[in-house]
Amino acid sequence: MKHFTIVGNWKMHQTPEQAVRLVARLQEKAKPRTHVTSVLCPPFVSIPAVKAEIQDDLFKLGAQNLNEKDEGAFTGEVSGAMLKELADYVIVGHSERRHYEHETDKRIAKKVAAALRNGLTPILCVGEKLSDKQDGHTRRVVVDQLQGGLSQITGAEIGKVIVAYEPVWAIGTGESAAPDQVEPVVNVIRQTIEEMFGEAASGSLEILYGGSVSPDNVKAYLVIEHINGLLVGGASLNFEQFTAIMDTAASISDGR
Ligand code: 13P
């Protein structure tokens, strides 16, 4: 039986009140999905309200970012030590943070380590830009981001990391990557993890795909052998679409 992790990245959407309404709607339609872990990643300010609304452990919670330090004079920042009281997961190195907030692999590596130090599961995002793809540099970019982002962790910790492959050109564009474009990159990710941490770590690593995932294309990704789930942006803000995505994951996992 294959297990899937389906993560909704709400980005900078949903006030606390709106977030509570969205969770309530998601739960109205929820049925037990035994082999699916569903994770919601609201903005920081909405996490407590969402946590209070979640029933029967139907959803896990994640954050979209964290500071690499545990505390200190860093105005406006939120640490893993704070998040661990509220959440189980944290997205690290999303391409929007790499681009708009100029996050480097070096800083991302410290954030991955901070997440693990605080018992949070980091979801490390990697992926090439359109120009990288056009220049034939996808492999190099993904390998560099993995080697950089995972440079501060040990072999004992890699088992607690999730990697999300999100080609930047597919994010929010409606232009999802074709499954036959995703599969070779997923293989590159496994190969890189094997080189860095060994075969067992590579075999058990959870890899998600993200980029314009919708109810219409979800199945095509989840049947890829080495994909363990999805990181969903826009469609996770629509309760009908996100429910359809989770239900498809549940039915595929039941059939395997
Ligand atoms: P979209 O699903 O809106 O393309 O966003 C993907 C993403 O960035 C999830 O982290």
Side-chain angles (χ1 to χ4, degrees), residues 9 11 91 94 96 166 170-173 210-213 231-235:
N9 175 8
K11 307 192 180 182
I91 297 170
H94 191 280
E96 286 150 15
E166 294 208 311
I171 294 177
T173 57
S212 296
V213 171
L231 181 50
V232 186

Side-chain angles (χ1 to χ4, degrees), residues 196-211:
M196 292 176 76
F197 299 101
E199 209 177 319
S202 164
S204 59
L205 179 76
E206 266 191 71
I207 302 178
L208 315 181
Y209 166 76

Side-chain angles (χ1 to χ4, degrees), residues 92-246:
V92 181
H94 191 280
S95 63
E96 286 150 15
R97 294 204 62 85
R98 291 178 190 263
H99 180 69
Y100 298 118
E101 310 301 328
H102 311 291
E103 283 194 7
T104 60
D105 284 326
K106 204 170 159 197
R107 183 147 192 227
I108 289 164
K110 290 181 186 166
K111 292 187 177 207
V112 169
L116 292 167
R117 182 166 74 237
N118 287 292
L120 295 159
T121 298
I123 302 171
L124 172 65
C125 299
V126 298
E128 81 285 7
K129 294 189 289 231
L130 182 60
S131 56
D132 300 323
K133 179 167 90 101
Q134 285 166 340
D135 295 345
H137 292 153
T138 298
R139 184 190 175 94
R140 203 201 63 211
V141 168
V142 168
V143 170
D144 282 354
Q145 290 177 343
L146 287 170
Q147 289 179 340
L150 298 173
S151 61
Q152 306 277 315
I153 69 163
T154 65
E157 290 173 319
I158 184 67
K160 297 177 201 138
V161 175
I162 295 177
V163 172
Y165 171 51
E166 294 208 311
V168 180
W169 48 271
I171 294 177
T173 57
E175 195 195 329
S176 56
D180 64 357
Q181 290 176 291
V182 174
E183 200 163 4
V185 183
V186 168
N187 291 336
V188 166
I189 295 172
R190 288 218 186 271
Q191 204 184 335
T192 308
I193 298 301
E194 182 171 337
E195 282 160 17
M196 292 176 76
F197 299 101
E199 209 177 319
S202 164
S204 59
L205 179 76
E206 266 191 71
I207 302 178
L208 315 181
Y209 166 76
S212 296
V213 171
S214 73
D216 296 334
N217 60 26
V218 56
K219 193 168 172 196
Y221 296 114
L222 293 179
V223 296
I224 299 175
E225 194 179 340
H226 294 300
I227 288 269
N228 307 95
L230 301 163
L231 181 50
V232 186
S236 73
L237 295 165
N238 176 305
F239 77 96
E240 281 171 333
Q241 290 186 17
F242 199 54
T243 298
I245 290 169
M246 291 183 288

